[in-house]
Amino acid sequence: MKVFKKGSLICILYKGQIYKKYSSDWNSFINRIDLYNEILIDLKNGSFFPSHMSIDELSLVSWDPPMDKQEIWCAGVTYSPSKKARMKESKTSKGAELYQLIYKAQRPELFFKSGKNRTVGHNAQVNIRRDSNNSVAEPELTYFLSSHGTIEGYTIGNDMTARDIEGDNPLYIPQAKTYEGCASIGPCLYVPESTSLLDFNINMTIERDNQVIFENTISSSDMCRNSEELISYLFNSCEFPFGCFLMTGTGIIPDQEFGLIRKDRVLITIDPIGCLVNTVGCR
Ligand code: DO4
Ligand code: MG
């Protein structure tokens, strides 16, 4: 099933039918163990009503990111292409060895990305920093973790990155990663019946002036870390009373010469979650 959020409207797509309800309590709605079955109980007990929206209309709506009080954290250097690209871009800053080490280290790279205030949803604008001359979108499979650290759903994440700032010095990573409009998640929260053993194909397409200028696909099975290790480090000494989102890193990195510009369209598709679409602006 898929869960969409817009203001206090919650829409559920389940078995080809769309249901809706108005609720201001998104946090307790999603932060439940066995979320799939909990939502089925909600549907059965009549707290949702059939909606007249058609399935085709779902992709046209500007959905909110499926979050409220949840934080977004990111894992980094979890795919070999990411390790190679970071090593190349940080050669002059002498940071390359750090990336080599982190790829194999027991403790993964995890960093805080953003709260709701710097995150946008489907059909909204993500930003490049105004002091960056080379920024990219990073398409990432994103877990929704309950406050108990269980994976209850998935969404699509875009970890926007000022690649030139990141390459200048790894200590600039917080600035390269966190600014207004630096993250996008959506279009929905995909809640499968079972979250074990799911592999996803992750595709990113970038359009400029209605032409495709970049396209690549990778499988989440190419990730060098498993969900258990990422979650155990994230939850080791942090509590997430409303659950949290974890972007699991990118395996798709454009050549170093490639940089996003204003009005580019970024389309990230992860079936069966859907397609997250954002236009690029500048802040
Ligand atoms: O270490 C820098 C960030 C890496 C990252 O965001 C990624 O691999 O997705
Ligand atoms: Mg990333």
Side-chain angles (χ1 to χ4, degrees), residues 42-228:
D42 293 345
L43 289 174
K44 280 189 191 133
N45 76 15
S47 54
F48 280 85
F49 299 93
S51 158
H52 297 301
M53 191 185 282
S54 75
I55 294 184
D56 290 345
E57 277 174 84
L58 284 173
S59 61
L60 305 175
V61 174
S62 297
W63 295 107
D64 288 351
M67 68 188 298
D68 186 23
K69 292 186 176 169
Q70 296 75 25
E71 296 175 345
I72 299 176
W73 284 69
C74 290
V77 200
T78 48
Y79 290 82
S80 168
S82 178
K83 177 193 73 170
K84 288 186 186 141
R86 311 296 158 220
M87 291 181 73
K88 197 165 163 205
E89 77 196 10
S90 61
K91 230 179 199 148
T92 40
S93 73
K94 301 189 172 43
E97 203 186 329
L98 293 178
Y99 291 109
Q100 174 92 292
L101 289 170
I102 198 80
Y103 187 68
K104 291 266 177 242
Q106 194 172 359
R107 183 188 289 272
E109 177 193 5
L110 293 172
F111 57 91
F112 174 73
K113 175 74 178 176
S114 84
K116 184 179 154 195
N117 57 327
R118 298 203 171 92
T119 304
V120 303
H122 176 65
N123 283 333
Q125 179 181 297
V126 288
N127 285 325
I128 49 184
R129 288 180 65 111
R130 66 169 84 98
D131 57 355
S132 166
N133 292 316
N134 185 316
S135 284
V136 286
E138 294 189 352
E140 307 195 6
L141 174 66
T142 301
Y143 304 147
F144 170 63
L145 303 167
S146 74
S147 49
H148 296 274
T150 52
I151 300 180
E152 296 297 340
Y154 301 89
T155 186
I156 301 172
N158 177 354
D159 171 23
M160 288 292 291
T161 301
R163 207 169 161 193
D164 48 352
I165 298 174
E166 173 184 76
D168 278 348
N169 192 315
L171 295 179
Y172 293 149
I173 283 180
Q175 294 177 70
K177 293 287 191 182
T178 299
Y179 52 89
E180 302 309 316
C182 64
S184 171
I185 61 170
C188 63
L189 183 65
Y190 170 63
V191 185
E193 193 167 0
S194 162
T195 55
S196 59
L197 301 175
L198 289 183
D199 276 335
F200 298 88
N201 281 333
I202 302 164
N203 171 277
M204 179 164 74
T205 301
I206 297 172
E207 295 174 354
R208 186 169 295 164
D209 299 328
N210 295 317
Q211 307 276 356
V212 173
I213 54 159
F214 176 87
E215 211 261 320
N216 202 352
T217 303
I218 197 160
S219 164
S220 64
S221 61
D222 293 344
M223 218 198 299
C224 76
R225 308 263 181 192
N226 60 45
S227 56
E228 288 81 14

